[in-house]
């Protein structure tokens, strides 16, 4: 039971998820549906970054792969949208594995650098094969509507779909990080050499973690396509990949429940938190709150301040500083240790 | 006239681990002082608490100037040359570039004098320092330290990994620099016999505290020191 | 044969831009082991400054070019001291995120100050070409290549022959030992960021006439620079330049001679090349495998 995560926390979350549509407007509920799908994406990325220690700046593209899988299956092959959700995950997962096999053989910075190229490469490929992907125009899905014989508001239907998936994926993430494979991932994160010395195949673990994270993001992307009912190359820009990583850091890398906060941040920073902060600033010092780029500046500054004040993210604050995972702790001044060794 | 170097009640720690518990010692101008002790006694930490490469509290005075809060670069600029354990050679730079780094804080480094003591460096000047033998690297580290015109030279285990003959050669040069140039030296050594032969005075550290202090002759005749560190 | 040489010169010109930005990345990586994801946005931002100095006009001014280099240098050093230095003991993830925060802030700031609209940035070189033995060599390409290589050469001379340059190299190799020699390590890191920012400014001002000035203009260039730096082994300045040049030539040749490789596929192909190189030589073409201590 413990392997599925804390049952009380999970119960509280389920109750909150059930209560939300009764409390909030349909529009808010629709936004909260996106929080659910971002949660799925962040859980996946956290398995790679927080638990295996591999930084990826390209996972928005795996959401894109999931979204395009769903779109093409629904629009061109007439598959019912909700059945494409696992397929979106599987396709993204397989492509993630294929990318991970070469990319994860190398330590540290190389992977982060290589992943940075994925979103733009993905967009390039979309534009190159318009017959398949719809090119620059993209593709439209059918209007969002409730299915399976249930008649309700489309927003609520979408909310239910997203959160059912999220509440399945959350215990799944717990199973992954608490099991044998989870131990292998953490040993790779804490010291690749020590892990290898203990017989862990570090490249294998990293590749599999990459594949799993791509699977989660693919599922999230599939939901995303269903929710916004269209996809085109601009739907999954490089900014989305960056935002996902920011969500991990703010939520607290290495904590699964922290991703709830990360998902709220990813959904609301651009549409409401950022503008609200700007309004606050503009009271002190007049600024044009609608100026292009102003939102980005606020979000970058918030990120920087969090890095200084709470490098372990929201989960770190909740846990207190003592519980900070080793890989986030401050190092001794590196230039002071072992000056004699070369 | 204050002592060249004076440590009083210096405590140093690595994270939570306390490595020095209130060490006090002095080095006067122009003398060689040996710092002896077993592994983990705090010899290296004592040197590091002078050069600022470990967090320390207590008083560290160089010619009366307080250095207990100074960073390594500031201590170096006050005239302390620290040759760390493992020598700290820039392996990928050439011999000559290493020497130039030694004279980094000096307006016009006196290469001629140094080459007088280490003539062989001249012909090796374009060799990569990492390809020198251990003894040569130790000599290069000495030459490099001397180029900064230090008031105090601190050597950490100069004999480490060297053959006895080479060790003797290293100490011969150290003694020569001390006698001809008046260079004060604080040397940490496991090889107590060699160190006490060159030094005028010495201290024995045990688990982060000064256990015995005295002139080299006194230490050599001290029974405890003799059995523990000299082996006869 | 004509096409071949023209593709070659365009490739070298593109490659010199990738290489210079890659060199900027390597300078910072060697000194601090931090990948500066904001390198491209720093270049973009300084290019906007150059454009503002030129009065948003249509003629290139060399004085503005050099003034921008100075501003970039000071700005880069200031960023290191204010934003990066407080995090020097933080984890890798935190340090990477800080440079990403810088990326986001500079991108937003540029759009805020100068609007996200596409702007024309003048080129210092005429659009004509020289004809040598039937081969057209564009003055733009030759000029870009020349300017970038001159900057790289100046930087190399600095590192090779000056005391400060030597201290920066020593500090990158063994910061602890360098501090024992009296080197003020933290200031040298700021200096390194300054040089990297100035080098980035060169690549920004050279690439802007062809890609036009927008807040996102360096995104693709940065990725090519990443690829170039990885090809070169991430620790080797020579490798960064060589990696950039070979990537530029290779991509232009593929675009010219392999039909399915259109401009849309340039990036995916670059990523593919990168992955293949990493599979064959995990430490890049010029890097050495470093044995790490536990």
């Amino acid at each position: 039971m413990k392997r599925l995560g804390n049952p009380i926390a999970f119960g509280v979350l389920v109750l909150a998820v059930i209560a939300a549509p009764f409390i909030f407007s349909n529009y808010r509920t629709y936004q909260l549906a996106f929080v659910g799908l971002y949660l799925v994406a962040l859980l996946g990325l956290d398995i790679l970054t927080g638990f295996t220690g591999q930084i990826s700046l390209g996972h928005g593209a795996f959401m894109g792969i999931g979204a395009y899988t769903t779109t093409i299956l629904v629009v061109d092959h007439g598959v019912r949208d909700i059945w494409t959700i696992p397929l979106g995950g599987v396709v993204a997962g397989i492509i993630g594995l294929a990318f991970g096999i070469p990319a994860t053989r190398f330590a540290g910075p190389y992977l982060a650098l290589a992943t940075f190229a994925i979103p733009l490469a993905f967009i390039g490929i979309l534009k190159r094969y318009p017959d398949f992907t719809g090119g620059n125009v993209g593709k439209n899905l059918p209007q969002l509507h409730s299915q399976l014989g249930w008649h309700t508001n489309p927003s609520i239907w979408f909310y239910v779909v997203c959160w059912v998936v999220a509440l399945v994926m959350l215990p799944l993430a717990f199973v992954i990080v608490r099991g044998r494979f989870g131990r292998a991932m953490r040993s790779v994160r804490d010291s690749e050499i020590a892990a290898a010395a203990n017989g862990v195949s570090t490249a294998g673990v990293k590749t599999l973690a990459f594949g799993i994270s791509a699977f989660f993001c693919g599922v999230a992307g599939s939901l995303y396509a269903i929710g916004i009912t269209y996809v085109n190359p601009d739907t999954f820009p490089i900014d989305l990949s960056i935002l996902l990583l920011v969500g991990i850091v703010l939520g607290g890398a290495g904590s699964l429940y922290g991703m709830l906060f990360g998902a709220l941040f990813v959904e609301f920073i651009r549409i409401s938190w950022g503008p609200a902060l700007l309004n606050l600033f503009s009271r002190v010092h007049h600024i044009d709150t609608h100026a292009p780029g102003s939102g980005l500046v606020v979000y970058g500054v918030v990120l920087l301040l969090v890095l200084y004040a709470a490098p372990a993210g929201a989960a770190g604050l909740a846990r207190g500083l003592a519980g900070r995972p080793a890989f986030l702790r401050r190092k001794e001044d590196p230039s002071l240790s072992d000056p004699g060794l070369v | 006239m204050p002592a060249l170097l004076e440590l009083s009640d210096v405590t140093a720690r690595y994270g939570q681990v306390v490595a020095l518990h209130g060490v006090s010692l002095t080095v006067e101008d122009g003398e060689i002082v040996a710092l002896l002790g077993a592994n983990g006694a705090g010899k290296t930490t004592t040197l590091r608490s002078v050069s600022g490469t470990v967090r320390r509290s207590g008083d560290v005075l160089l010619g009366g100037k307080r250095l207990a809060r100074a960073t390594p670069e500031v201590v170096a600029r006050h005239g302390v040359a620290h040759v760390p354990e493992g020598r700290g050679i820039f392996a990928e730079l050439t011999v000559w570039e290493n020497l130039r780094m030694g004279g980094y804080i000096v307006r016009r480094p006196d290469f001629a004098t140094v080459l007088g003591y280490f003539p062989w460096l001249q012909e090796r000047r374009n060799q990569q320092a990492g390809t020198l033998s251990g003894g040569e690297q130790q000599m290069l580290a000495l030459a490099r330290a001397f180029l900064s015109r230090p008031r105090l030279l601190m050597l950490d285990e100069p004999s480490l990994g060297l053959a006895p003959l080479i060790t003797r050669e290293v100490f011969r040069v150290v003694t020569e620099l001390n006698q001809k140039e008046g260079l004060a030296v604080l040397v940490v050594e496991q090889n107590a016999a060699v160190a006490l032969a060159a030094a005028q005075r010495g201290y024995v550290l045990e688990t982060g505290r000064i256990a015995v202090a005295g002139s080299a002759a006194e230490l050599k005749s001290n029974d405890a020191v003799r059995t523990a560190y000299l082996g006869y | 044969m004509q096409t071949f040489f023209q593709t070659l010169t365009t490739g070298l010109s593109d490659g010199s831009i990738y290489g210079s930005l890659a060199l900027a990345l390597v300078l910072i990586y060697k000194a601090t082991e931090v990948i500066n994801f904001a390198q491209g946005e720093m270049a973009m931002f300084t290019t906007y400054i150059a454009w503002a100095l030129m009065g948003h006009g249509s003629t290139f001014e060399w004085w503005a070019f050099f003034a921008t280099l100075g501003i970039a240098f000071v700005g880069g050093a200031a960023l290191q001291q204010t934003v990066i230095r407080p995090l020097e003991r933080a984890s890798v993830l935190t340090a990477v995120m800080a440079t990403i925060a810088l990326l986001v802030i500079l991108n937003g700031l540029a759009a805020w100050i100068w609007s996200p609209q596409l702007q024309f940035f003048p080129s210092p070189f005429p659009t004509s070409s020289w004809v040598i033995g039937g081969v057209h060599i564009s003055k733009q390409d030759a000029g870009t290549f020349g300017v970038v290589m001159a900057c790289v050469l100046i930087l190399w001379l600095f590192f090779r022959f000056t005391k400060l340059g030597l201290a920066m190299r020593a500090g990158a190799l063994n910061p602890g030992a360098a501090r024992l020699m009296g080197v003020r390590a933290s200031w040298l890191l700021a200096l390194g960021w300054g040089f990297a920012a100035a080098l980035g400014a060169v690549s920004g001002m050279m690439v802007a006439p062809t890609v036009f000035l927008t807040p996102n203009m360096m995104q693709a260039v940065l990725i090519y620079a990443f690829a170039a730096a990885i090809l070169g082994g991430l620790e080797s300045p020579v490798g960064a330049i060589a990696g950039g040049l070979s990537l530029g030539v290779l991509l232009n040749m593929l675009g010219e001679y392999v039909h399915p490789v259109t401009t849309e596929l340039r990036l995916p192909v670059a990523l593919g090349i990168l992955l293949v190189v990493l599979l064959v030589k995990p430490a890049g073409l010029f890097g050495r495998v470093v044995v790490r201590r536990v």
Side-chain angles (χ1 to χ4, degrees):
Chain A
M1 217 32 225
K2 256 267 130 75
R3 280 190 58 182
L4 295 172
N6 185 342
I8 297 169
F10 191 71
V12 171
L13 178 61
V14 170
L15 287 178
V17 166
I18 292 172
F22 295 102
I23 300 169
F24 296 111
S25 67
N26 283 347
Y27 177 63
R28 240 332 150 232
T29 307
Y30 179 69
Q31 289 178 333
L32 289 174
F34 279 88
V35 174
L37 76 88
Y38 283 130
L39 174 63
V40 174
L42 292 187
L43 288 173
L45 190 53
D46 197 24
I47 287 173
L48 181 69
T49 301
F51 289 91
T52 321
Q54 308 302 309
I55 296 170
S56 168
L57 279 158
H59 268 56
F62 292 109
M63 280 184 69
I65 291 168
Y68 267 90
T69 305
T70 289
T71 308
I72 290 167
L73 285 174
V74 172
V75 175
D76 299 336
H77 302 280
V79 183
R80 187 183 274 196
D81 54 9
I82 49 172
W83 305 135
T84 65
I85 295 169
L87 289 172
V90 168
V91 172
I94 290 171
I95 294 175
L97 276 180
F99 179 85
I101 288 170
T104 55
R105 288 179 63 209
F106 330 105
Y110 288 94
L111 182 68
L113 287 179
T115 54
F116 199 58
I118 302 176
L120 282 187
F122 175 63
I123 291 170
I125 291 172
L126 291 179
K127 291 183 176 171
R128 177 67 181 80
Y129 300 103
D131 295 342
F132 186 52
T133 64
N136 275 322
V137 183
K139 282 177 187 279
N140 285 306
L141 282 106
Q143 278 297 312
L144 197 59
H145 58 278
S146 58
Q147 297 170 35
L148 305 176
W150 184 29
H151 297 284
T152 180
N153 182 291
S155 297
I156 296 188
W157 162 255
F158 181 54
Y159 174 85
V160 171
V161 172
C162 283
W163 277 99
V164 165
V165 173
L167 292 177
V168 171
M169 298 301 260
L170 181 63
L172 180 64
F174 268 106
V175 171
I176 292 168
V177 303
R178 294 253 166 106
R180 242 173 77 86
F181 183 64
R183 272 200 302 282
M185 293 191 313
R186 284 193 298 276
S187 71
V188 167
R189 173 189 74 193
D190 295 337
S191 165
E192 274 193 43
I193 291 173
N198 283 313
V200 175
S201 156
T202 58
V205 168
K206 286 193 280 180
T207 305
L208 198 51
F210 203 90
I212 291 171
S213 67
F215 169 76
F216 275 70
C217 285
V219 168
S222 183
L223 290 168
Y224 192 91
I226 294 171
I228 59 169
T229 69
Y230 68 85
V231 292
N232 68 27
D234 294 331
T235 318
F236 304 98
I238 210 163
D239 314 34
L240 175 66
S241 298
I242 293 177
L243 195 56
L244 289 180
L245 191 62
V246 172
I248 298 282
V249 170
L250 296 194
S255 151
L256 291 180
Y257 275 106
M259 294 308 114
L260 268 173
F261 179 78
L264 284 168
F265 180 86
V266 169
E267 170 62 16
F268 288 110
I269 179 66
R270 288 181 296 187
I271 56 176
S272 56
W273 295 0
L277 273 173
L278 265 181
N279 266 326
L280 211 64
F281 285 131
S282 69
R283 262 180 232 165
V284 185
H285 181 81
H286 178 74
I287 44 174
D288 179 5
T289 51
H290 295 290
S294 55
L296 279 179
V297 174
V298 171
Y299 140 55
V301 170
V302 167
L303 173 59
L304 210 50
L305 293 179
V306 169
L307 291 175
Y308 293 128
L317 287 181
R319 239 192 336 252
L321 293 177
R324 188 182 297 180
F327 73 109
L328 285 176
R329 263 178 235 145
R330 288 175 80 79
K331 294 179 282 199
E332 283 284 309
D333 186 348
S335 71
L336 290 185
S337 57
D338 295 330
L341 292 161
V342 266
Chain B
M1 179 69 186
L4 174 61
L5 175 72
E6 186 175 349
L7 266 61
S8 49
D9 201 24
V10 170
T11 304
R13 59 185 77 224
Y14 299 97
Q16 302 295 317
V17 185
V18 180
L20 289 185
H21 305 266
V23 165
S24 302
L25 60 79
T26 56
V27 178
E28 300 291 340
D29 268 315
E31 69 174 347
I32 298 182
V33 175
L35 207 50
L36 311 175
N39 270 336
K43 309 183 299 283
T44 295
T45 308
T46 307
L47 296 195
R48 293 179 68 164
S49 66
V50 176
S51 67
T53 46
V54 68
R55 214 182 308 162
R56 72 281 203 209
S57 56
D59 252 350
V60 178
L61 298 168
L62 188 79
K65 222 175 173 66
R66 276 169 202 280
L67 289 181
R69 297 195 160 275
T71 56
E73 48 269 38
V74 171
V75 175
R77 282 160 192 266
H78 276 94
V80 176
H82 181 181
V83 179
E85 203 172 356
R87 307 172 193 114
I89 292 291
F90 301 108
E92 288 165 57
L93 300 185
T94 64
V95 167
W96 195 252
E97 285 171 332
N98 267 281
L99 292 176
R100 277 171 66 202
M101 281 308 295
Y104 181 76
I105 49 171
V106 183
R107 190 175 297 273
R108 238 180 270 110
D110 187 359
F111 292 110
T113 308
V114 171
L115 288 176
Y117 288 99
F118 306 91
W120 59 274
L121 285 171
Q122 180 66 32
E123 57 214 62
R124 304 286 197 87
R125 54 184 289 164
N126 292 321
Q127 192 176 336
Q128 255 203 1
T131 63
L132 295 175
S133 73
E136 288 165 345
Q137 286 191 18
Q138 186 63 55
M139 293 293 199
L140 174 59
L142 267 178
R144 189 178 67 172
F146 184 62
L147 266 168
S148 68
R149 277 197 220 142
R151 300 163 72 186
L152 171 69
L153 173 66
M154 300 198 300
L155 296 174
D156 198 344
E157 299 256 7
S159 74
L160 195 75
L162 300 186
L165 212 64
I166 313 276
T167 303
R168 213 182 305 157
E169 179 61 18
V170 169
F171 273 90
R172 188 192 61 76
V173 177
V174 171
T175 315
E176 205 178 315
L177 288 174
N178 170 257
Q179 283 167 357
K180 291 195 186 156
E181 309 285 341
L183 182 62
V185 182
L186 177 60
V187 57
V188 156
E189 240 329 319
Q190 292 253 13
N191 188 336
V194 177
L196 288 178
Q200 284 97 48
R201 287 192 306 119
Y203 294 88
V204 177
L205 275 168
E206 264 168 30
T207 59
R209 292 180 179 82
I210 300 277
V212 191
S215 71
E218 283 164 7
L219 289 181
K220 272 188 264 189
S221 59
N222 180 313
D223 284 340
V225 174
R226 224 173 55 192
T227 48
Y229 302 107
L230 293 168
Y232 57 84
Chain C
M1 216 44 202
Q2 273 193 21
T3 326
F4 176 82
F5 279 108
Q6 274 153 27
T7 314
L8 182 70
T9 48
T10 311
L12 286 175
S13 158
D14 284 0
S16 66
I17 289 169
Y18 307 156
S20 61
L21 201 60
L23 181 59
L25 289 165
V26 167
L27 281 183
I28 290 179
Y29 182 73
K30 261 181 91 88
T32 54
E33 300 207 345
V34 171
I35 305 280
N36 182 12
F37 282 90
Q39 194 75 62
E41 305 310 88
M42 283 161 62
M44 174 275 297
F45 200 82
T46 45
T47 307
Y48 267 104
I49 291 176
W51 181 65
L53 288 177
M54 293 172 199
H56 305 184
S58 56
T59 44
F60 189 90
E61 312 271 3
W62 280 105
W63 70 264
F65 175 87
F66 288 108
T68 303
L69 293 193
I71 293 169
F73 185 88
V74 173
L79 278 184
Q80 193 276 338
Q81 287 288 307
T82 54
V83 177
I84 302 299
R85 193 179 164 195
L87 295 172
E88 68 187 350
R89 283 194 255 165
S91 70
V92 178
L93 181 61
T94 308
V96 166
M97 290 315 293
T99 70
I100 286 172
L102 270 183
L103 179 163
V104 171
I105 292 171
L106 288 175
N107 189 293
L109 217 49
W112 199 348
I113 301 174
W114 292 291
S115 99
Q117 249 87 52
L118 207 76
Q119 309 282 359
F120 173 77
F121 187 87
S123 168
F125 310 109
T127 44
S128 53
S129 9
W130 292 300
V131 184
I132 303 168
V135 178
H136 290 259
I137 294 177
S138 130
K139 290 183 182 169
Q140 297 247 15
D141 286 349
T144 300
F145 183 80
V147 167
V148 173
M149 286 302 148
C151 293
V152 171
L153 182 70
I154 290 169
L155 209 58
W156 180 79
L157 291 172
F158 169 81
F159 277 106
R160 186 75 183 74
F161 292 109
T162 69
K163 188 165 152 176
L164 213 53
L166 173 64
M168 286 176 72
R169 281 191 289 149
L173 288 170
N174 187 342
R179 294 182 77 182
L180 290 179
M181 313 275 102
V183 173
R184 292 190 181 97
S186 168
W187 278 107
L188 292 194
L189 291 183
L191 222 55
W193 272 71
F195 280 121
L199 205 54
V202 172
S203 64
M205 286 185 278
M206 289 296 119
V207 83
T210 46
V211 301
F212 295 105
L213 198 54
T214 71
N216 290 339
M217 70 173 208
M218 294 306 279
Q219 276 185 359
V221 181
L222 180 67
I223 289 169
Y224 293 126
F226 279 164
I230 295 180
L231 288 180
L234 214 49
E235 301 238 16
S236 155
V238 181
I241 296 294
L245 292 178
S246 37
L247 189 70
V249 171
L250 192 62
L251 287 174
N252 275 287
M253 290 288 174
L254 286 173
E256 187 62 43
Y257 291 107
V258 183
H259 176 64
V261 183
T262 55
T263 42
E264 289 94 21
L265 277 196
R266 268 176 80 111
L267 250 165
V269 167
L271 181 60
I273 294 171
L274 190 72
L275 291 179
V276 170
V277 167
L278 286 181
L279 265 180
V280 182
K281 290 206 67 168
L285 294 175
F286 292 81
R288 291 172 307 155
V289 177
V290 185
V291 181
R292 288 183 194 280
R293 289 184 300 138
V294 185

